[in-house]
Amino acid sequence: GENVEQHPSTLSVQEGDSAVIKCTYSDSASNYFPWYKQELGKRPQLIIDIRSNVGEKKDQRIAVTLNKTAKHFSLHITETQPEDSAVYFCAASIRRDDKIIFGKGTRLHILP
Amino acid sequence: DTGVSQDPRHKITKRGQNVTFRCDPISEHNRLYWYRQTLGQGPEFLTYFQNEAQLEKSRLLSDRFSAERPKGSFSTLEIQRTEQGDSAMYLCASRRQAGGYEQYFGPGTRLTVT
């Protein structure tokens, strides 16, 4: 089955700097890659997603890139703000109706 | 609030007791998913339904676990003879079959087995 690896597990960046979180997946049939943000005690919320027919997608300060050949995908957050502090999960899904396989998460700390 | 709702939000039970959780998906969402999340980990898939049909069950879902969605609307997840290892956050998510890919998560039920 699909396996998603995520790095780093913890990331601290100065406010205003950029943060990058990297993930790899094992099943080349995966075609949907969502990113979720989870604040302490709250539900996971989708922040951006990308499908396998697209190499890059951007939404304001957030961008995702996908390298299908290498089975890598990454989340980039620019101009980080205190409210970006949370746990971020990458994930992969083989079919649109299928279960989502999550990485173990990255705890992002934005330092003042 | 028209989002996914779950009840109860917290449950403390003694080992060996049975517990049941409820999930109400967003109306018109015919896909419903259950995940389990332990501390410091990402959500792990347990099972999912299309309408009332249970289409897939994870190996994580032992015989002590059962899920139902009898009328294709709300779903229940029952754990029999709870064990301390069952302590986790149980998350429900839903999505439309047609349309976008996004799964919308509920707030979760936090289970503590003592």
Side-chain angles (χ1 to χ4, degrees), chain A:
Chain A
E2 175 65 283
N3 183 52
V4 177
E5 299 284 340
Q6 183 170 351
H7 301 279
S9 57
T10 305
L11 179 61
S12 297
V13 300
Q14 289 295 136
E15 182 179 348
D17 288 351
S18 296
V20 180
I21 301 171
K22 298 183 178 182
C23 292
T24 61
Y25 61 98
S26 61
D27 196 326
S28 56
S30 290
N31 62 5
Y32 173 61
F33 306 91
W35 286 85
Y36 282 83
K37 176 183 180 182
Q38 188 174 32
E39 298 177 32
L40 189 63
K42 296 192 176 181
R43 72 190 76 191
Q45 292 199 302
L46 182 75
I47 55 171
I48 196 167
D49 57 12
I50 191 168
R51 301 183 193 179
S52 60
N53 59 346
V54 176
E56 185 173 355
K57 183 177 178 180
K58 189 173 182 181
D59 182 4
Q60 300 182 349
R61 296 187 297 110
I62 295 173
V64 292
T65 59
L66 171 65
N67 183 329
K68 285 176 58 180
T69 303
K71 292 189 277 190
H72 289 176
F73 57 118
S74 300
L75 177 72
H76 304 251
I77 306 174
T78 58
E79 301 172 6
T80 53
Q81 300 170 2
E83 54 266 35
D84 295 331
S85 293
V87 179
Y88 292 80
F89 294 98
C90 63
S93 178
I94 292 177
R95 293 181 299 273
R96 64 180 293 167
D97 298 330
D98 209 349
K99 58 187 177 288
I100 293 175
I101 304 301
F102 287 82
K104 291 187 184 301
T106 295
R107 183 171 297 279
L108 176 62
H109 299 277
I110 305 302
L111 306 173

Side-chain angles (χ1 to χ4, degrees), chain B residues 17-87:
Chain B
Q17 297 295 304
N18 299 340
V19 294
T20 300
F21 310 141
R22 176 177 170 129
C23 171
D24 286 88
I26 296 170
S27 59
E28 89 259 10
H29 280 194
N30 57 352
R31 294 269 171 161
L32 187 149
Y33 304 79
W34 284 99
Y35 294 84
R36 182 175 69 186
Q37 186 177 25
T38 53
L39 203 60
Q41 301 294 317
E44 296 174 294
F45 169 78
L46 293 178
T47 188
Y48 85 95
F49 294 83
Q50 176 177 315
N51 300 314
E52 65 275 10
Q54 189 172 17
L55 297 187
E56 186 173 349
K57 293 170 62 173
S58 163
R59 289 190 303 273
L60 294 174
L61 217 62
S62 74
D63 291 345
R64 297 185 297 106
F65 289 70
S66 62
E68 294 182 344
R69 195 181 183 198
K71 297 181 180 178
S73 56
F74 72 91
S75 175
T76 58
L77 178 68
E78 181 183 14
I79 309 174
Q80 296 182 325
R81 305 181 302 281
T82 52
E83 302 173 355
Q84 286 189 320
D86 296 332
S87 295

